[in-house]
Amino acid sequence: MTDAELIAHAKKARERAYAPYSGFSVGAAALAADGRVFSGCNIENASYGLTNCAERTAIFKAVSEGVREIAALAVVADGTLPCSPCGACRQVIAEFSIGRIILANLSGAKKIVTPEELLPFSFSLDPANK
């Protein structure tokens, strides 16, 4: 799957965002190693701590369907810069070793990063990292 196709899945997911408090709609699409795509949007709540980001929604949907290998993740929002994940999402991305993260905006800007670039020194099950 091309970056453009994965971004298109994320854009479509963004249209379903529930963001009445921030007005900032985000979409994400996780590409499983087997080729399936799992999309997600941000879902806000009046109690902000209960909000779930688009990235975690997409990743958790994939995991709940038995996926453990995610090849790529696209994240899209309507900002001047490509949309960058929050800290919690960065840790979840690191947990599943998603090697290709495509950050994009609706204007066509994009940046490709690795989990290490997003979150150096992430928590890990690797005994060497403890």
Side-chain angles (χ1 to χ4, degrees):
M1 175 169 294
T2 68
D3 289 354
E5 291 169 326
L6 195 58
I7 290 169
H9 281 282
K11 284 181 179 178
K12 186 170 177 79
R14 181 187 168 277
E15 294 170 4
R16 296 186 294 272
Y18 178 73
Y21 305 101
S22 72
F24 190 69
S25 297
V26 182
L31 175 63
D34 66 10
R36 291 183 288 166
V37 175
F38 298 87
S39 61
C41 60
N42 58 318
I43 304 164
E44 294 181 348
N45 190 283
S47 174
Y48 283 137
L50 300 178
T51 294
N52 202 51
C53 298
E55 300 92 313
R56 284 182 284 146
T57 300
I59 293 166
F60 292 167
K61 282 173 68 175
V63 172
S64 73
E65 293 299 318
V67 172
R68 294 295 184 271
E69 293 182 43
I70 300 172
L73 177 73
V75 184
V76 177
D78 188 18
T80 54
L81 298 173
C83 186
S84 184
C86 74
C89 289
R90 290 171 188 225
Q91 179 58 46
V92 171
I93 290 166
E95 178 76 18
F96 290 97
S97 301
I98 302 171
R100 184 173 177 78
I101 301 113
I102 306 154
L103 311 177
N105 69 10
L106 295 180
S107 301
K110 78 174 182 179
K111 180 175 177 85
I112 298 168
V113 297
T114 66
E116 294 79 17
E117 290 172 310
L118 282 179
L119 186 63
F121 308 109
S122 64
F123 289 104
S124 171
L125 291 175
D126 180 355
N129 264 351
K130 290 186 179 184

